[in-house]
Amino acid sequence: MALKVKIKKQLNAFTLDVDFNVENEIFAILGASGCGKSMTLKCIAGVETPDSGYIELDGQVLFDSEKNINLPPRKRHSGYLFQNYALFPNMTVFENIAFVVSGSKENKSKTAEEYIQRFHLQGLESIYPANLSGGQQQRVAFARILAAQSRLLMLDEPFSALDSYLKWQLELELGDLLEKYKKTTLFISHNRDEVYRLCNHVAVMSNGHIETVSDKYGIFDDPQTLTAAVLTGCKNTSKAHKIDEHYLYAVDWQLELFTAQQVPDDLSYVGFRAHFFEPTTAQQQVNCFSAQIIKVIEDTFSYIIMIRPHDKESLLLRWELEKDAWVRLRDKPIFLTIPEDKLILLKK
């Protein structure tokens, strides 16, 4: 199933302006809360209407502002999993699933029973949504979407309301489900780890605009923009400017740095991931500085060390390392090297 989306819609804080194509893959839209992710899905589903643009699914035009085409949600055959699951509160589990199945009463019953088995909902057929756990509600919602033979699956922060244990269990189940679904899936999230584990390609959204689109490996290795770097978990960022082809100055860290990449003329920021520092007990030649320890924070399985270069009043840098490694280093003078191939060069 090929999905083509090119729409604009004026919102309170910004104009939603997105343009992307997806076909038979799990495509993530990664962005902070309020950036326009959910509104994009609502426009595709027909719940909201764009001001202008075009939406096509598998050759069928769902919306075209110039030709005055705007199919109602029921004719779009898209499965939209809302954050709150949107189950019918006055219907049982069985009735919620059977309601979306077309055909005879016999076919509705047979299909509902099939999906109840598939999603391990046996024994809950006569229960109403209010008496289900969050995980059970989610499974019913998934079952209902697939029972409706949706051509497109849209998941809006599907794990946001779940505790960590249940979230992981359902993520495993969702991963298996999506492998079998083999149709176009849009996955909305602000969680980089979920996106990395479940999706093929990632679009980074900020203030209604898609800043960059890449496969999941590229978006983490070379996020390209400051927003993408932060959303993919880069804890250290600084304003930066070019010195020459391979040298830059990190303004907020007060460091001159050498990079293996060629520094672009439009460099605006530089990023560095917190676990890539290389500690030594002696001064090295390139990208090495004496580290002043400002604060040590014990995390579950690691230490987070807040540092700055000695004799500088720079922005603090975050260094993360395993507990055993910190125990070996903490009573010694520490020099940290930033590997030349680990710097992330960023635009605005």
Side-chain angles (χ1 to χ4, degrees):
M1 294 290 175
L3 174 68
K4 300 178 182 179
V5 179
K6 187 175 183 179
I7 55 173
K8 291 183 180 181
K9 184 176 179 62
Q10 182 63 50
L11 305 179
N12 289 333
F14 52 78
T15 299
L16 180 70
D17 185 355
V18 293
D19 184 353
F20 63 89
N21 298 333
V22 192
E23 184 171 4
N24 295 336
E25 66 170 313
I26 307 168
F27 184 86
I29 301 179
L30 179 65
S33 297
C35 73
K37 305 187 303 295
S38 294
M39 182 57 70
T40 300
L41 293 196
K42 289 176 181 178
C43 288
I44 296 170
V47 178
E48 294 281 350
T49 302
D51 297 332
S52 63
Y54 183 86
I55 303 171
E56 178 185 308
L57 178 61
D58 199 30
Q60 180 185 24
V61 177
L62 308 183
F63 175 80
D64 188 329
S65 58
E66 292 187 359
K67 296 182 179 179
N68 199 29
I69 297 173
N70 187 17
L71 295 187
R74 67 181 182 279
K75 292 187 177 182
R76 298 193 180 201
H77 303 292
S78 59
Y80 184 9
L81 182 67
F82 292 85
Q83 291 183 30
N84 62 359
Y85 310 134
L87 298 173
F88 300 119
N90 60 332
M91 292 186 184
T92 65
V93 167
F94 181 90
E95 291 167 341
N96 260 281
I97 299 171
F99 179 81
V100 301
V101 181
S102 59
S104 65
K105 183 177 180 180
E106 180 182 356
N107 185 59
K108 285 176 175 285
S109 179
K110 181 180 178 182
T111 303
E113 289 173 2
E114 175 189 336
Y115 280 92
I116 283 170
Q117 293 284 331
R118 187 172 175 180
F119 283 86
H120 311 294
L121 295 166
Q122 303 95 317
L124 301 175
E125 293 90 338
S126 61
I127 304 299
Y128 289 91
N131 296 317
L132 297 173
S133 69
Q136 290 167 338
Q137 289 184 37
Q138 187 187 61
R139 277 184 278 154
V140 175
F142 277 135
R144 188 176 64 176
I145 286 174
L146 293 186
Q149 298 297 305
S150 302
R151 296 184 298 170
L152 169 69
L153 190 58
M154 297 187 290
L155 309 177
D156 191 353
E157 301 277 6
F159 308 120
S160 61
L162 306 175
D163 62 60
S164 58
Y165 173 76
L166 185 56
K167 183 183 294 186
W168 176 240
Q169 294 301 310
L170 285 173
E171 185 182 317
L172 290 174
E173 291 182 20
L174 177 60
D176 291 340
L177 169 67
L178 294 179
E179 283 184 13
K180 298 173 185 175
Y181 182 64
K182 296 189 183 302
K183 296 178 183 178
T184 299
T185 300
L186 298 183
F187 184 90
I188 299 298
S189 181
H190 62 268
N191 186 304
R192 57 155 189 174
D193 297 321
E194 292 173 3
V195 165
Y196 192 87
R197 289 189 294 261
L198 291 170
C199 302
N200 307 119
H201 278 79
V202 184
V204 172
M205 180 177 280
S206 177
N207 292 326
H209 293 265
I210 291 178
E211 290 193 349
T212 182
V213 179
S214 174
D215 64 73
K216 66 179 180 182
Y217 304 108
I219 207 75
F220 281 83
D221 292 340
D222 183 20
Q224 299 184 28
T225 68
L226 178 64
T227 299
V230 171
L231 286 170
T232 57
C234 183
K235 304 301 184 185
N236 299 311
T237 59
S238 168
K239 292 179 181 177
H241 61 254
K242 178 178 180 177
I243 296 175
D244 60 28
E245 292 302 301
H246 289 282
Y247 278 90
L248 61 89
Y249 184 70
V251 177
D252 298 316
W253 306 335
Q254 299 178 20
L255 292 172
E256 182 177 312
L257 299 169
F258 175 82
T259 175
Q261 303 176 63
Q262 186 169 330
V263 181
D265 292 336
D266 59 350
L267 176 74
S268 296
Y269 294 89
V270 62
F272 184 72
R273 299 194 185 274
H275 55 282
F276 283 154
F277 281 110
E278 294 181 355
T280 67
T281 55
Q283 181 74 52
Q284 303 294 313
Q285 290 291 324
V286 180
N287 296 355
C288 186
F289 60 90
S290 174
Q292 179 183 359
I293 309 301
I294 306 301
K295 190 172 185 178
V296 178
I297 303 165
E298 185 176 10
D299 208 349
T300 311
F301 301 109
S302 63
Y303 276 103
I304 300 169
I305 318 297
M306 303 306 297
I307 60 167
R308 64 162 57 103
H310 253 301
D311 301 325
K312 296 184 184 294
E313 292 300 319
S314 69
L315 193 70
L316 295 182
L317 287 143
R318 176 167 166 158
W319 172 31
E320 296 181 24
L321 71 168
E322 294 180 355
K323 289 188 174 181
D324 289 348
W326 173 243
V327 170
R328 292 194 301 267
L329 290 168
R330 63 186 176 187
D331 296 323
K332 302 175 183 178
I334 296 174
F335 294 86
L336 293 179
T337 298
I338 297 176
E340 61 194 55
D341 61 341
K342 297 297 185 182
L343 286 167
I344 303 172
L345 308 186
L346 301 166
K347 304 172 186 177
K348 288 184 179 179

